[in-house]
Amino acid sequence: MKTLTFAPTQQSLYLAEKYGYDEWMVNRFLHYVPKAKDMMERMQRPVKRYIRTNTLKTTSPRLVARLESKNFELKKTVLADVFEINGNNASISIGATTEYLLGHYYIQDISSCIAVEALDIKRNQAVLDMASAPGGKTTLIAQKMDNTGSIVAIESNPIRMKSLAFNLSRCGVINTALYRLDATACASLNLSFDRILLDAPCSGEGVIWKDATRKTSRTPDDISQCSFAQKKLLEAGLQALKPGGTIVYSTCSFAPEENEYVVNSILNKFDVKVQPLQFGTEGLTAFGSKAFSKELKSTVRLYPHIHNSMGFYVAKLRKNT
Amino acid sequence: MLRSPNAQELTQLRRSFDRWGIFAFMESQKLVINYDSVVKKRDVLVSTDDLLDTLSKVTLQPDEMGLAIGQIRNKKFLPSLSGAEIIAKHSKRFPYVMINEIGEALVLYGRDIFGDSVKEVSKGLDQNQTAIILNQNRESIGIGQTRFSEENLFKKGEVTVYTTVDAGIYLRNQSD
């Protein structure tokens, strides 16, 4: 599928120049990001940082008390065990405290926690995490399961696999097995799962806040390639999902080709139903001349300037048969 | 190769767990041995019944699984950082050296422990003994080897405990 681009306008040229983006990218933002200028403005400012309590090792009140005694200011969020680092007068970085090293918390954007929240995981379930490194979501899944049941975590990159293993160990996770595999081959394991998380590799438009090189380092072809790979991954995941099971598909991109297009194509191929989600702005039901299923309104988009998070997309699908 | 501990290994582990004061806790845990036949290394892992059941249906061995809590070496269980954490949390009698905040910061950079930082040690701690390094919250932050016996571990201006492994490794490995 070809990535949709638009003829340059005065506004797109001006904003691209002002904020240092490729014009084609800004022009697309103007078509699908609400108040796109505000978003680009927001992404100029420092990134918001969040931590998530690892309840396998401690409790939120205990963690907050310890970090506050070290002069970190923590602010509650919409999620119970997730805190925004509001201010930091501490002499050390939030990623170097004893509590961090002992696995009492994980530094993780709230959007990632929302994706795992959407899985609605229960104790003793069988869960597949299809692209698991560096382990933020995997460790959160383990925590939601209270270290019961089983998690199969797949990662194809051997270097990222190492950080995944370290993070699982740091967080005290016992219910997970790691496989170095291409996630499209997950069916070769011959297993079926109650829950699957596919946080798909993507063009990363939503993490420009963290990595400004992405303002100019991607091309429309990259988005097309990602979209193709994401569709394959989602199909592979659905094949490994039990009937009645739930798969959550997420990306850290705003591009409709990587999000609604992918999910829409699946709706036409599998007996699945989009499930409503609690947090975020509703998904698109059209882009350019392409209309998507109305069900996609129940998927969600998270924007830096609206939700104070990385840019993110989440779709929750229930497999009927 | 992943397998259940054999009878001999189970006896060795139980004996060691008893010595570390975690026998009762470990009886409720599902143990797995990851045996590397090339270097004859036996890692001890903790897992769940459900995970083992899942893995029994797959011909492909996982690259990693469960939580590595230590090794069996010379018929003894040698705890890893995760094993030391279990011991510090669940045992009431184990060899330890408790250090102050300055010592804690240094240990987490992989440094050895000066007697000046030592606040408390377990009774009967011997020279060249493996001991768990605790911070003032009684949390395990590493594992060390004593240079002296109990009464000399507080010697000022001298390294009295060698740090063999510490929780700072998580950070140092991330920056590799």
Side-chain angles (χ1 to χ4, degrees):
Chain A
M1 187 219 10
K2 199 170 174 335
T3 300
L4 192 58
T5 52
F6 303 92
T9 62
Q10 249 188 339
Q11 190 189 14
S12 67
L13 288 164
Y14 167 74
L15 291 173
E17 171 75 24
K18 181 173 179 187
Y19 294 108
Y21 288 77
D22 280 342
E23 186 280 333
W24 66 269
M25 193 182 249
V26 174
N27 207 337
R28 280 170 50 86
F29 285 169
L30 291 167
H31 285 83
Y32 56 72
V33 175
K35 298 183 178 167
K37 181 179 176 293
D38 290 355
M39 184 188 76
M40 286 183 274
E41 186 62 45
R42 183 68 193 88
M43 294 215 276
Q44 297 293 103
R45 301 209 303 272
V47 64
K48 287 273 176 198
R49 296 192 86 183
Y50 296 89
I51 60 166
R52 183 251 307 166
T53 312
N54 176 15
T55 54
L56 294 177
K57 290 206 171 180
T58 189
T59 62
S60 287
R62 249 183 270 164
L63 175 66
V64 169
R66 283 180 67 159
L67 291 179
E68 284 181 346
S69 76
K70 293 183 174 177
N71 292 327
F72 289 100
E73 280 178 43
L74 304 177
K75 195 174 144 191
K76 286 183 178 176
T77 67
V78 288
L79 299 180
D81 293 313
V82 180
F83 300 90
E84 182 187 327
I85 308 288
N86 204 27
N88 178 8
N89 299 314
S91 53
I92 45 168
S93 135
I94 192 71
T97 66
T98 302
E99 290 76 12
Y100 174 78
L101 296 172
L102 297 182
H104 292 189
Y105 62 90
Y106 201 102
I107 302 167
Q108 183 170 35
D109 191 66
I110 193 166
S111 54
S112 301
C113 302
I114 284 171
V116 175
E117 201 71 31
L119 272 174
D120 188 25
I121 301 164
K122 308 275 189 292
R123 286 171 63 95
N124 299 311
Q125 286 186 320
V127 181
L128 172 67
D129 186 352
M130 292 179 71
S132 49
K137 296 182 192 74
T138 318
T139 53
L140 178 52
I141 292 169
Q143 152 177 346
K144 293 269 175 200
M145 297 166 82
D146 202 15
N147 247 342
T148 65
S150 65
I151 303 172
V152 170
I154 293 178
E155 176 56 47
S156 59
N157 182 325
I159 296 164
R160 285 167 62 82
M161 186 94 172
K162 193 177 152 199
S163 60
L164 169 64
F166 262 107
N167 278 322
L168 291 173
S169 171
R170 182 174 67 87
C171 292
V173 172
I174 67 168
N175 64 348
T176 301
L178 312 187
Y179 285 92
R180 186 153 74 81
L181 270 184
D182 175 345
T184 53
C186 65
S188 68
L189 295 173
N190 283 321
L191 294 170
S192 52
F193 299 91
D194 302 298
R195 299 285 187 268
I196 296 179
L197 177 67
L198 171 56
D199 183 36
C202 65
S203 66
E205 284 184 356
V207 297
I208 286 172
W209 206 355
K210 254 193 338 195
D211 176 11
T213 63
R214 289 175 193 248
K215 289 178 177 180
T216 53
S217 63
R218 296 289 188 269
T219 65
D221 277 352
D222 290 329
I223 291 177
S224 300
Q225 280 169 23
C226 283
S227 178
F228 180 75
Q230 288 153 347
K231 204 176 138 206
K232 289 221 163 228
L233 284 166
L234 187 51
E235 286 178 0
L238 279 162
Q239 276 156 13
L241 185 65
K242 287 180 186 171
T246 298
I247 187 166
V248 166
Y249 172 79
S250 63
T251 71
C252 54
S253 173
F254 307 117
E257 290 87 347
E258 299 185 70
N259 300 323
E260 288 87 352
Y261 266 91
V262 173
V263 177
N264 194 64
S265 71
I266 290 302
L267 294 181
N268 298 329
K269 223 169 160 180
F270 289 83
D271 184 11
V272 292
K273 180 116 185 78
V274 180
Q275 302 293 298
L277 291 166
Q278 214 181 336
F279 307 105
T281 302
E282 61 187 35
L284 307 179
T285 50
F287 181 52
S289 59
K290 172 84 177 166
F292 308 126
S293 162
K294 293 279 177 272
E295 276 194 74
L296 289 174
K297 261 192 179 182
S298 298
T299 67
V300 295
R301 296 176 145 254
L302 296 165
Y303 296 107
H305 59 307
I306 299 172
H307 305 101
N308 259 329
S309 68
M310 298 292 160
F312 217 71
Y313 174 80
V314 188
K316 177 179 180 178
L317 307 170
R318 187 177 184 278
K319 185 176 177 180
N320 296 324
T321 50
Chain B
M1 185 186 68
L2 295 165
R3 57 168 175 76
S4 297
N6 60 33
Q8 195 185 24
E9 288 163 342
L10 216 45
T11 306
Q12 290 165 358
L13 285 171
R14 283 180 171 150
R15 204 173 288 149
S16 286
F17 291 158
D18 187 44
R19 210 170 296 131
W20 284 102
I22 52 168
F23 180 85
F25 174 75
M26 291 311 293
E27 283 296 287
S28 64
Q29 301 300 307
K30 192 78 200 173
L31 296 175
V32 179
I33 301 291
N34 185 12
Y35 179 59
D36 185 333
S37 57
V38 180
V39 288
K40 307 241 185 288
K41 190 171 145 221
R42 285 176 295 173
D43 285 331
V44 183
L45 317 173
V46 172
S47 183
T48 64
D49 284 325
D50 285 335
L51 182 59
L52 293 175
D53 182 50
T54 299
L55 296 181
S56 70
K57 297 172 194 157
V58 186
T59 46
L60 191 65
Q61 284 261 322
D63 292 87
E64 306 257 353
M65 70 152 296
L67 184 67
I69 60 163
Q71 282 179 28
I72 299 177
R73 209 189 293 165
N74 300 327
K75 299 182 182 175
K76 281 182 189 154
F77 169 71
L78 297 176
S80 65
L81 271 177
S82 299
E85 193 181 328
I86 290 173
I87 293 164
K89 196 170 170 190
H90 296 281
S91 172
K92 289 193 168 62
R93 48 177 177 87
F94 61 96
Y96 69 82
V97 175
M98 189 195 286
I99 56 174
N100 64 19
E101 229 172 293
I102 298 167
E104 174 181 322
L106 291 169
V107 162
L108 294 175
Y109 276 107
R111 306 278 176 78
D112 294 327
I113 299 168
F114 275 80
D116 313 55
S117 304
V118 178
K119 298 273 290 183
E120 187 185 313
V121 299
S122 53
K123 281 211 164 62
L125 204 53
D126 216 346
Q127 190 178 5
N128 291 326
Q129 192 173 348
T130 299
I132 292 175
I133 304 168
L134 301 180
N135 64 10
Q136 291 182 89
N137 292 316
R138 303 195 88 85
E139 293 158 332
S140 162
I141 60 165
I143 301 171
Q145 184 151 21
T146 56
R147 278 188 72 200
F148 307 105
S149 56
E150 187 182 346
E151 63 278 10
N152 292 320
L153 289 169
F154 300 87
K155 262 188 190 172
K156 297 212 183 302
E158 230 180 296
V159 168
T160 60
V161 181
Y162 292 124
T163 301
T164 47
V165 62
D166 65 276
I169 194 171
Y170 292 122
L171 199 62
R172 297 195 292 275
N173 270 279
Q174 267 179 10
S175 31
D176 276 353

